[in-house]
């Protein structure tokens, strides 16, 4: 999916770091929508990690959810890449890539901090945060 999305954007074979970052963003979107997805019995996580009939009642269920969120957060962080990986991205997309890396990291940190509360209140980036990320991504 990530490769196809990047291919549509660029029109050529995408660089692996850009594909990985796109995969991270797609996975993050699944975490941010997890509460709504669970209410509709649709989960974008691997099937073996969170059962379709999962219920948020009970401490064991919330412990399971915390473990799943931690595993998925680690997967996303591994896909995000680092500053060096942007050198393989086309020049005109480097600032956008840095912005996306930083925003994704910040949202993943928010998911980790909120733990089970992410179901009802997923992390969001406010306007101030987005502007700060934009400025630092553009010039640093």
């Amino acid at each position: 999916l990530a490769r196809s999305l990047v291919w549509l954007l660029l029109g050529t074979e995408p660089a692996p770091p850009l594909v990985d970052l796109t995969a991270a963003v797609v996975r993050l979107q699944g975490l941010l929508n997890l509460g709504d997805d669970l209410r509709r019995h649709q989960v974008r996580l691997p099937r073996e990690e969170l059962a379709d009939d999962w219920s948020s009642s009970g401490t064991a269920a919330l412990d399971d959810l915390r473990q799943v969120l931690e595993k998925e957060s680690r997967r996303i962080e591994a896909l995000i890449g680092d500053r060096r990986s942007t050198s393989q991205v086309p020049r005109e997309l480097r600032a956008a890539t840095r912005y996306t890396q930083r925003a994704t990291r910040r949202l993943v940190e928010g998911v980790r901090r909120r733990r089970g509360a992410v179901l009802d209140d997923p992390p969001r980036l406010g306007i101030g945060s987005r502007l700060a990320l934009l400025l630092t991504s553009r010039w640093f």
Side-chain angles (χ1 to χ4, degrees):
L1 175 62
R3 181 176 304 286
S4 298
L5 289 172
V6 178
W7 196 300
L8 284 171
L9 176 69
L10 297 178
T12 62
E13 180 67 30
L18 203 50
V19 172
D20 290 346
L21 179 60
T22 305
V25 171
V26 169
R27 292 184 88 115
L28 176 64
Q29 188 65 35
L31 284 185
L32 296 178
N33 292 324
L34 187 60
D36 291 335
D37 288 348
L38 284 171
R39 286 186 274 283
R40 289 190 307 261
H41 301 287
Q42 300 171 342
V43 179
R44 299 177 212 188
L45 296 170
R47 186 170 185 84
E48 64 275 2
E49 291 193 14
L50 197 60
D52 191 40
D53 61 349
W54 183 85
S55 171
S56 62
S57 61
T59 56
L62 288 177
D63 286 341
D64 289 345
L65 177 63
R66 286 184 190 114
Q67 289 175 2
V68 168
L69 290 174
E70 182 60 34
K71 282 181 191 176
E72 190 65 9
S73 295
R74 282 193 303 255
R75 284 187 198 111
I76 291 169
E77 286 176 335
L79 289 168
I80 292 172
D82 58 16
R83 200 158 213 217
R84 292 180 304 247
S85 66
T86 59
S87 66
Q88 297 178 30
V89 173
R91 187 176 235 47
E92 63 272 9
L93 294 176
R94 287 182 186 166
T97 301
R98 285 190 299 269
Y99 173 84
T100 305
Q101 286 173 323
R102 291 172 178 168
T104 302
R105 273 193 194 95
R106 186 164 301 173
L107 288 168
V108 168
E109 289 170 14
V111 166
R112 280 190 165 139
R113 275 194 313 271
R114 292 171 194 242
R115 296 180 160 189
V118 74
L119 297 179
D120 298 318
D121 186 26
R124 302 280 185 228
L125 293 177
I127 188 73
S129 295
R130 286 183 278 172
L131 285 172
L133 287 170
L134 184 63
L135 291 173
T136 58
S137 299
R138 186 98 173 125
W139 289 288
F140 300 108

